[in-house]
Amino acid sequence: MKVLLYFENQNLIAKSGIGRALKLQKEALSYTDVEVTTDTKSLDYDVLHINTYGVNSHHMVNKAHKLGKKVVYHGHSTYEDFRNSFTGSNTIAPLFKRYLVSLYSKSDAIITPTPYSKQLLRGYRLNQPIIPISNGIPLEKYQHDDDKIKKFREYFDLADDQKVIMSVGLFFERKGILDFVELAKRHPEHVFIWFGYTDLRLVPNKISRLIKGNHPRNLIFPGYITGDVIRGAFQGADLFLYPSYEETEGIVVLEALASKQKVLVRDIPVYKKWLQDGVNSYKARDVDEFEIKMQKILTGESPNLSESGYKLAQTRDLPEIGKQLQAVYKMVLEG
């Protein structure tokens, strides 16, 4: 079979989780016999696997229907994770939800990263099959590498004994960035690094001012970084702390687990089925609990759960994800 993978405005979304999903899908399908194209002019494909929501995405779905093609929509976004993001997002969130439903309802099946996001989408009264499939992780790319760790620590001029708490995300309040800043204020003895980038014209003023310099000196916003430095950070930091309030999965959490990093996340429903507090990760409900658990992890008072976290990442390795995607394509083709 031949599948057309479609991502609208790839350059604009490249620095987001959805942007990375394109690379992950292509790599996952490379382990199968599914032929993949990203050529929007292609007419000989069997299934349109669409990941984005703009006007052109709407056009691609309608075009696929006219050609008699099957459509699989990837439900990366929900009403719930759209809120508390861009300036004005809460105002237009109900309209965004209706728009999402109008698009998702045109598909033959919906793929979404977790059982939690499936539950949300089912609540939108969508009747198509909804299949939870992890975004996956290219496990071999996160193997321990001392050179990458060295590059990370040299890039930020870190002392050998310097404790580093890292996070990754867009500059959204929904991502928990304000709690991350508060933790940095409370612990000037540690270095806090928030990797990621968002055009500051798109975020509320309080977030913009914070990024521009209204933050503690021990907190670094290096922007969007790829390659050895970020891989070295995932492996060489002392803790991956992810205070996001809402996710459909969290690709960066998978990256941390695959790197055998210690992981501390907010206790939210999306992690309920797979991240277990005190087993393969740690969870906190508010900034005070984040602080307590962070300190216990850094001092070694809490057990290191990185090996059990890695075992979880192994179940989401890309060859397995490729098989699951192929099964969905086969399902829609067979009706």
Side-chain angles (χ1 to χ4, degrees):
M1 71 180 77
K2 185 174 182 178
V3 172
L4 169 57
L5 286 180
Y6 182 69
F7 283 76
E8 186 174 350
N9 294 324
Q10 290 182 30
N11 292 334
L12 291 177
I13 65 171
K15 297 176 181 179
S16 68
I18 296 178
R20 290 204 297 283
L22 171 60
K23 293 180 181 179
L24 293 172
Q25 287 170 19
K26 289 172 72 174
E27 188 171 345
L29 291 170
S30 72
Y31 295 101
T32 72
D33 57 4
V34 174
E35 183 181 354
V36 175
T37 182
T38 56
D39 180 7
T40 58
K41 296 180 180 179
S42 174
L43 299 176
D44 64 344
Y45 64 91
D46 302 294
V47 178
L48 170 65
H49 182 167
I50 188 162
N51 287 262
T52 46
Y53 315 102
V55 174
N56 291 336
S57 299
H58 205 291
H59 171 72
M60 286 297 296
V61 172
N62 290 338
K63 179 181 176 182
H65 284 156
K66 289 178 181 178
L67 293 171
K69 310 296 186 181
K70 297 296 184 179
V71 176
V72 171
Y73 228 114
H74 212 118
H76 297 286
S77 294
T78 64
Y79 161 80
E80 288 76 8
D81 73 3
F82 183 76
R83 297 179 74 252
N84 296 316
S85 53
F86 299 103
T87 300
S89 61
N90 289 5
T91 302
I92 65 173
L95 295 175
F96 179 71
K97 180 180 178 179
R98 287 201 289 271
Y99 182 68
L100 280 183
V101 171
S102 73
L103 288 174
Y104 289 162
S105 63
K106 293 183 177 182
S107 66
D108 297 284
I110 301 169
I111 295 172
T112 194
T114 55
Y116 168 71
S117 52
K118 173 183 177 178
Q119 177 186 336
L120 293 179
L121 295 179
R122 189 59 78 201
Y124 300 172
R125 298 183 180 179
L126 293 162
N127 298 317
Q128 294 85 346
I130 303 176
I131 305 95
I133 299 177
S134 170
N135 286 298
I137 190 77
L139 206 61
E140 77 286 349
K141 294 182 180 179
Y142 294 87
Q143 299 303 305
H144 184 86
D145 189 319
D146 287 331
D147 288 338
K148 291 177 182 178
I149 295 173
K150 183 179 179 182
K151 286 181 180 179
F152 155 63
R153 299 196 76 87
E154 287 180 347
Y155 186 91
F156 291 102
D157 194 24
L158 298 166
D160 291 341
D161 61 348
Q162 184 67 66
K163 297 290 186 182
V164 179
I165 297 91
M166 70 170 290
S167 196
V168 183
L170 299 171
F171 299 150
F172 292 166
E173 187 171 351
R174 191 252 305 171
K175 290 290 186 179
I177 193 169
L178 297 180
D179 284 346
F180 196 78
V181 173
E182 175 61 25
L183 290 168
K185 288 179 181 177
R186 294 184 185 187
H187 291 277
E189 73 276 18
H190 303 320
V191 172
F192 290 74
I193 306 176
W194 183 286
F195 293 92
Y197 172 79
T198 306
D199 188 329
L200 295 182
R201 292 171 296 182
L202 303 177
V203 299
N205 286 334
K206 65 179 177 180
I207 301 293
S208 178
R209 288 194 300 269
L210 185 155
I211 302 302
K212 289 177 179 178
N214 187 24
H215 59 258
R217 293 181 63 184
N218 62 318
L219 172 57
I220 303 170
F221 290 105
Y224 184 77
I225 293 179
T226 60
D228 288 351
V229 172
I230 187 67
R231 297 269 170 81
F234 272 115
Q235 296 173 21
D238 296 279
L239 175 64
F240 177 80
L241 192 153
Y242 196 57
S244 178
Y245 285 85
E246 183 68 35
E247 295 290 325
T248 53
E249 181 177 42
I251 291 177
V252 293
V253 175
L254 296 180
E255 291 177 310
L257 295 171
S259 303
K260 296 188 178 180
Q261 178 57 261
K262 305 177 195 71
V263 171
L264 173 59
V265 300
R266 191 177 300 277
D267 189 0
I268 53 177
V270 68
Y271 303 129
K272 186 176 181 180
K273 298 289 185 179
W274 53 293
L275 290 182
Q276 297 175 277
D277 186 33
V279 177
N280 51 29
S281 60
Y282 290 100
K283 296 179 180 179
R285 287 162 293 186
D286 54 39
V287 68
D288 292 331
E289 191 172 7
F290 269 115
E291 181 183 21
I292 292 168
K293 291 197 171 184
M294 177 188 78
Q295 286 296 90
K296 287 184 177 181
I297 293 168
L298 294 177
T299 60
E301 185 178 345
S302 293
N304 185 339
L305 306 177
S306 57
E307 287 295 335
S308 55
Y310 180 75
K311 290 179 181 178
L312 174 60
Q314 287 179 310
T315 66
R316 288 161 167 75
D317 200 7
L318 290 185
E320 175 58 30
I321 301 304
K323 293 177 186 177
Q324 294 177 36
L325 293 175
Q326 184 177 24
V328 173
Y329 304 151
K330 183 178 180 181
M331 178 192 74
V332 297
L333 286 173
E334 293 177 350

